[in-house]
Amino acid sequence: MSKSTVKADINFEQELWKAANELRGAVAENQYKDYVLPMIFLKHMSERFEMRKAELVHLVQDENSSYFTTDEVEINYVLDDADEYLSKNVYIIPKEATWDYLKANAEQDNIKVIVDDAFDTLDATLAKFRPDLKGILPRIFVKSQLTARQVGGLINLLSNPKLSQKENPESDILGRVYEYYIGKFALAEGSGAGQFFTPGSIVRLMVEMIEPYEGKIFDAACGSGGMFVQSLKFLESHGGDKRNIAIYGQERYDGTLRLCKMNLALRDLSFDVRLGDSLLQDKFPDLKADFIIVNPPFNVSQWHPEDLPENDPRLFGPKEEFTTDGSANYMWMQTFWSHLSNKGTASVVMANGAMTSNNKGEKNVREFMVNNNMIDCIVRLPDKLFLTTGIPACIFILSKNRDGKDGQHRKRTDEILFIDTSKMGTMESRKLRVFTDADIDKVAGTYHTWRNVTPSAVEGLYTNTDGYSYSATLAEVQKQDYKLTPGIYVGTEEVEDDGILFEDKMANLQATLQEQFAKGNELQQKILENFEKL
């Protein structure tokens, strides 16, 4: 599939900063998103209802439309028919839960009650047709420290056309607002925020590499649903149909799961996301996914592996040998592998330490994965990609289609591709690095060229590149004591030969060094003479 042109996204950071200032002092910085995102969700659901109703009004008045009628009873029937809205992933929103109603009452002293009542009404409206969305909008404004004036000010700020789905239907507003707040206030979130948020350029790289065109997509630590949203964007940019994918996710934090449901409900996706700890409470024991795209919490210790049943089907071997209380990294790996379909592929963000850990419970799993041809590719990531954690990271790609029997990918059961991107990316700010489109295309292209049966017309045949990529045999990995750090295999980048003999370079270096020593001695003598004159 060829990529279609993607429109440039609209910039509304200034408006979000103003909204943050409206909340400042009454709400902790790490909770800004909890107040702003539900309001934007209500705003978008309300706008969708208004747009669909306007469309139906036009249809009943259009003589060329099958909806055309002059009968007032029929017109009202059409405009009030829930199915006419549900067919477009739209719900009939009661007046008191519409954005226009909130905006009209923004200056009222009881606006906090009005907003919470609107949340209750919209929540009940959605739950009538989607029981799994029950509780998506909790009452949070009345019990907050926000004043009526602050809440009214927030409503007025969020009424900006830039934050309107009606005005900007192509913009991922809810997702970008979440990304802005958790990124902008990452320090307030604390070091654990990395488990909720994966920077967009990393997610794009993961998705572009494994190409989730159709099938079941699973994220066992789904956070606010960023992996799913990026998968949908990938599908749309390649001319795919979102009806061909089904979303499954699990998240242990209720508030974050609500944000995920909001994110997915706005996109008319088929999804099933559930609350629970994926390590100890796997809510999808029978799920076999075609694609797993996930950024699990790094290096989780004291996660209580003793609570796992002895015969847990996810484990590669005896519990005492294939788990460790010191880190859950490789329990995550075993969980993901157990959920892959017989041709499935997983893309996993993992702490760098997982590539070399010698802890028995982790190394046993890593050795088992290498020896049993589970690992397809390892990508070392550069530093400063994450605002919310300083832990160096990498990407593991696991695959069950390495036997070459799916017709799309060649047999590569005796190989692992190593890619080192440590020198790639562009500093967007002093603290944050991002992958450019060219970076993503290069890495994804390298993987596809190595993996696919038919070489890319653009990339051609795969070849190893010093300092960047290397296709290692399992024997080479085993010889390195199962260490998976790409730098061990890719070597150093080749330096262009300048044609000067080594002997000549060394002679010039020695001459320059002797000259600098002489100047240093001369300077030292002058300093001593100046001291004597004091």
Side-chain angles (χ1 to χ4, degrees):
M1 296 184 184
S2 60
K3 292 184 181 180
S4 59
T5 302
V6 180
K7 293 178 65 176
D9 217 339
I10 193 164
N11 186 356
F12 42 69
E13 284 199 1
Q14 185 176 357
E15 287 70 27
L16 297 181
W17 179 251
K18 289 179 181 178
N21 284 331
E22 195 68 57
L23 298 171
R24 197 179 302 279
V27 175
E29 289 180 339
N30 64 336
Q31 294 178 336
Y32 287 170
K33 63 185 183 302
D34 299 330
Y35 290 85
V36 174
L37 288 170
M39 273 199 172
I40 290 179
F41 177 75
L42 181 147
K43 183 173 188 283
H44 286 192
M45 298 302 284
S46 175
E47 287 180 341
R48 286 186 174 193
F49 165 61
E50 293 165 4
M51 288 188 288
R52 178 57 177 164
K53 186 172 184 178
E55 183 180 15
L56 290 172
V57 169
H58 172 74
L59 289 172
V60 297
Q61 295 174 347
D62 183 359
E63 295 183 4
N64 297 318
S65 167
S66 60
Y67 285 81
F68 175 71
T69 180
T70 56
D71 187 310
E72 287 296 323
V73 175
E74 289 188 19
I75 290 174
N76 289 331
Y77 176 81
V78 170
L79 298 183
D80 294 335
D81 183 1
D83 289 337
E84 292 291 349
Y85 296 86
L86 291 172
S87 64
K88 301 292 184 180
N89 190 38
V90 176
Y91 303 85
I92 295 177
I93 308 298
K95 177 183 177 182
E96 62 272 18
T98 62
W99 189 255
D100 282 344
Y101 184 80
L102 293 188
K103 192 163 60 171
N105 288 277
E107 308 304 322
Q108 298 296 321
D109 291 340
N110 66 335
I111 185 59
K112 292 169 66 173
V113 175
I114 292 173
V115 172
D116 276 353
D117 286 348
F119 282 0
D120 280 348
T121 301
L122 180 56
D123 194 275
T125 300
L126 298 178
K128 189 188 306 180
F129 302 98
R130 290 286 304 270
D132 58 318
L133 296 182
K134 180 65 178 174
I136 196 172
L137 292 166
R139 296 181 67 90
I140 55 175
F141 280 90
V142 169
K143 63 183 180 182
S144 75
Q145 298 300 311
L146 290 165
T147 65
R149 182 174 180 178
Q150 285 175 309
V151 176
L154 184 61
I155 292 171
N156 290 329
L157 281 169
L158 297 182
S159 296
N160 190 299
K162 283 187 177 182
L163 294 166
S164 167
Q165 189 181 38
K166 181 179 180 181
E167 299 293 332
N168 307 287
E170 301 299 321
S171 182
D172 174 22
I173 293 175
L174 193 77
R176 288 186 57 223
V177 170
Y178 179 84
E179 182 174 336
Y180 174 83
Y181 281 122
I182 200 169
K184 191 75 174 178
F185 304 106
L187 294 179
E189 286 283 342
S191 60
Q195 63 189 294
F196 302 121
F197 173 68
T198 311
S201 69
I202 299 178
V203 182
R204 273 198 58 209
L205 173 61
M206 298 169 72
V207 170
E208 290 285 344
M209 289 184 76
I210 69 172
E211 302 179 302
Y213 288 118
E214 61 182 16
K216 297 177 181 178
I217 301 174
F218 180 49
D219 183 346
C222 64
S224 65
M227 300 290 186
F228 302 137
V229 172
Q230 197 61 54
S231 297
L232 175 61
K233 287 184 176 181
F234 168 85
L235 195 67
E236 292 174 337
S237 71
H238 289 76
D241 189 337
K242 63 184 176 183
R243 290 175 295 184
N244 293 334
I245 61 172
I247 300 298
Y248 298 86
Q250 187 166 337
E251 169 57 42
R252 67 179 299 180
Y253 297 102
D254 185 47
T256 308
L257 188 66
R258 284 199 298 268
L259 297 180
C260 180
K261 288 183 177 181
M262 289 181 209
N263 229 342
L264 299 177
L266 286 172
R267 291 174 170 80
D268 192 21
L269 287 167
S270 170
F271 69 88
D272 182 357
V273 292
R274 303 178 185 178
L275 184 66
D277 180 346
S278 294
L279 293 174
L280 299 176
Q281 303 166 334
D282 189 349
K283 298 295 185 178
F284 298 93
D286 301 319
L287 174 65
K288 298 298 180 182
D290 301 292
F291 301 96
I292 293 176
I293 313 170
V294 59
N295 175 18
F298 297 164
N299 305 328
V300 175
S301 61
Q302 298 180 336
W303 58 278
H304 301 296
E306 67 275 7
D307 292 341
L308 292 173
E310 289 296 335
N311 59 345
D312 192 310
R314 296 174 294 176
L315 296 175
F316 295 156
K319 182 171 68 173
E320 61 275 11
E321 295 181 21
F322 285 80
T323 63
T324 171
D325 195 35
S327 173
N329 289 344
Y330 275 96
M331 187 62 213
W332 283 115
M333 294 289 199
Q334 293 174 93
T335 297
F336 304 145
W337 185 260
S338 73
H339 281 298
L340 281 178
S341 68
N342 58 5
K343 293 183 180 179
T345 302
S347 185
V348 184
V349 182
M350 187 55 65
N352 273 2
M355 297 188 291
T356 57
S357 172
N358 281 320
N359 180 289
K360 177 184 175 183
E362 294 184 274
K363 188 176 181 183
N364 283 347
V365 178
R366 190 169 72 248
E367 289 184 2
F368 186 93
M369 293 173 72
V370 171
N371 292 336
N372 287 274
N373 279 295
M374 297 178 177
I375 301 173
D376 210 34
C377 179
I378 300 289
V379 181
R380 177 189 173 188
L381 298 174
D383 62 0
K384 297 184 178 178
L385 280 178
F386 295 84
L387 263 177
T388 49
T389 179
I391 300 173
C394 59
I395 295 173
F396 276 65
I397 293 185
L398 315 180
S399 179
K400 286 190 177 181
N401 61 38
R402 285 164 55 82
D403 57 12
K405 294 181 180 179
D406 66 357
Q408 298 177 344
H409 309 114
R410 68 179 182 85
K411 183 178 180 180
R412 53 202 190 282
T413 49
D414 189 44
E415 306 168 57
I416 297 176
L417 178 64
F418 292 92
I419 300 177
D420 191 337
T421 69
S422 58
K423 296 181 181 178
M424 296 174 68
T426 300
M427 295 304 295
E428 189 174 73
S429 67
R430 189 168 53 87
K431 294 182 178 180
L432 180 64
R433 184 191 305 272
V434 297
F435 282 129
T436 63
D437 289 350
D439 293 331
I440 292 170
D441 289 344
K442 177 179 179 179
V443 177
T446 300
Y447 178 56
H448 297 159
T449 302
W450 174 82
R451 178 186 67 167
N452 294 351
V453 170
T454 305
S456 164
V458 177
E459 299 289 342
L461 293 171
Y462 171 80
T463 56
N464 293 330
T465 302
D466 289 342
Y468 169 63
S469 70
Y470 184 80
S471 182
T473 64
L474 296 192
E476 289 178 287
V477 176
Q478 291 162 346
K479 185 178 179 180
Q480 294 293 340
D481 195 27
Y482 296 90
K483 291 182 172 61
L484 299 177
T485 306
I488 295 173
Y489 305 95
V490 304
T492 56
E493 187 175 356
E494 185 176 1
V495 179
E496 185 177 348
D497 187 3
D498 57 13
I500 302 174
L501 294 175
F502 172 78
E503 292 80 0
D504 293 338
K505 288 182 180 179
M506 182 57 70
N508 289 335
L509 179 61
Q510 289 176 333
T512 300
L513 196 58
Q514 288 174 354
E515 183 180 347
Q516 290 174 343
F517 282 158
K519 288 182 178 179
N521 291 333
E522 183 180 342
L523 180 61
Q524 184 181 18
Q525 187 61 38
K526 287 183 178 180
I527 293 173
L528 292 173
E529 291 174 357
N530 288 335
F531 271 126
E532 290 177 359
K533 293 178 181 179
L534 293 176

